[in-house]
Amino acid sequence: MALRNIREIGDGVLNKKCKEVKEMTPRTKELIEDMLETMYEANGVGLAAPQVGVLKRIVVIDVTGEDPYVMVNPRILETSGEQTGNEGCLSVPGKTGTVTRPNYVKAVAYDENMELYELEGTELLARAICHELDHLEGKLYVDMVEGPLMNVEDLEDEEG
Ligand code: NI
């Protein structure tokens, strides 16, 4: 396993639509392992392949630090409710902004062994699924932010 370089806003790779994974290869498995390692190292709750410069439909998510989900060719099947809260992205370091997302998401994806599974999430997991799947369409949360994009530091000062 190896850490990969996280691409930052302004890098064109973040605005491109990703391609379906047709088959699991040793190279793709290595990419998934590297994405997990890179996400944990950066203290993120999710990471999408384009964030490490690979235009494949793969995301990794772990909102608790002990429950990783690998989602290959993910699709959202159902959403409901609404949540409004602060969101950040490893590709937009030091920034946060308010985004409204569904409060419940049901998705389907393949795991790292190309086994199909369904995943249901509420609150932070629902938000993470939506945020990461947007990356696969070349979309960043900064284009959905309600109000100003804030510095994480300022926010921490405000909250003490
Ligand atoms: Ni992100």
Side-chain angles (χ1 to χ4, degrees), residues 8-80:
E8 293 185 1
I9 187 167
D11 187 322
V13 77
L14 295 172
N15 301 114
K16 294 200 166 117
K17 204 173 142 91
C18 295
K19 293 201 171 91
E20 297 259 317
V21 176
K22 299 241 166 67
E23 59 171 345
M24 188 54 58
T25 62
R27 203 180 148 156
T28 303
K29 274 206 170 164
E30 194 183 328
L31 167 68
I32 291 168
E33 285 179 7
D34 290 354
M35 284 172 63
L36 282 164
E37 192 180 346
T38 303
M39 173 183 75
Y40 288 128
E41 170 72 19
N43 291 314
V45 298
L47 190 71
Q51 292 183 274
V52 295
V54 180
L55 290 171
K56 285 185 177 166
R57 301 188 78 79
I58 302 173
V59 309
V60 295
I61 293 175
D62 190 345
V63 297
T64 65
E66 48 197 30
D67 196 14
Y69 293 103
V70 172
M71 303 181 85
V72 176
N73 300 338
R75 273 191 310 123
I76 288 176
L77 299 176
E78 211 181 305
T79 64
S80 68

Side-chain angles (χ1 to χ4, degrees), residues 78-83 101-106 121 126:
E78 211 181 305
T79 64
S80 68
E82 210 175 84
Q83 56 173 320
R101 300 279 192 186
N103 197 48
Y104 165 86
V105 172
K106 184 184 192 178

